[in-house]
Amino acid sequence: MRTKMVAGNWKMNKNLQEGVALATELKEAVKNPSCAVVIGTPFIHLASVAELLKGSPIKVAAENCADKEKGAYTGEVSAEMVRSTGAEYCILGHSERRAYYHEDAAILKEKVLLALANGLKVIFCIGEVKEEREAGKQNEVVKEQLEGSVFNLTAEQWANITLAYEPVWAIGTGLTATPQQAQEMHAYIRSLVAKQYGEQVADDTTILYGGSCNEKNAAELFANPDVDGGLIGGASLVAEKFMAIINAR
Ligand code: PGA
């Protein structure tokens, strides 16, 4: 049975006090969710938020981790450090990391391996930019992203991977993929997973949609058979909006 999930990605928003306040509101509101709920917070929030959410169904994710195990990498945060905060997930491959911090397939491959080796579950993001969609290359792009960074994993490792399809042209733009575009791509991604790991594993793989998913369009997106939930940016910063999305799942 595949897990349905709504995950938040706070990105670089909220100072520590604001982040703790939002997590406190969510803890109060999310008692018995009908899907898995994860919030991705900045590194410095992780320990406080994970402690606060002990005993809550809400799990905590980092938004990144280093591509090196440990040592002289000033300013970096390792997967082991993330895990030691109580966080259970790590978002990797987000398009903002790829575009602004030049994270390529090889770097992401290392990050995924380190996250898994340290007991983290990975939410791995893939998706095409506008020009690629306009050129009809979206399938090619996501296939390469999967092959380049996660299709090296064993089936056992794969059990700790959640995929997030995030068309870059939809992120933070207010432009959402239509439910049909989302379904088509999610079904395609699932077919690639099936080729690599078999039908059963593909059927069990959670594939989230991300990109201007909000309290208004979530239900329609989640109604598609291959859309298992959402990775939510902007709308995850407001407790009522995030709650409405969880309730739509
Ligand atoms: P958005 O971001 O919901 O603000 O578009 C989604 C994401 O980047 O994960």
Side-chain angles (χ1 to χ4, degrees), residues 77-131:
V77 176
S78 71
E80 187 193 359
M81 292 171 188
V82 168
R83 186 67 190 100
S84 74
T85 66
E88 293 178 44
Y89 286 81
C90 189
I91 299 170
L92 290 172
H94 193 281
S95 63
E96 288 150 17
R97 301 294 318 172
R98 293 177 191 263
Y100 308 146
Y101 302 97
H102 316 295
E103 295 189 3
D104 61 17
I107 290 173
L108 291 171
K109 189 173 177 179
E110 287 307 311
K111 291 189 176 200
V112 169
L113 288 171
L114 283 164
L116 294 175
N118 284 284
L120 292 165
K121 296 185 171 83
V122 171
I123 299 176
F124 190 74
C125 306
I126 53 179
E128 80 286 357
V129 301
K130 184 160 159 273
E131 294 70 28

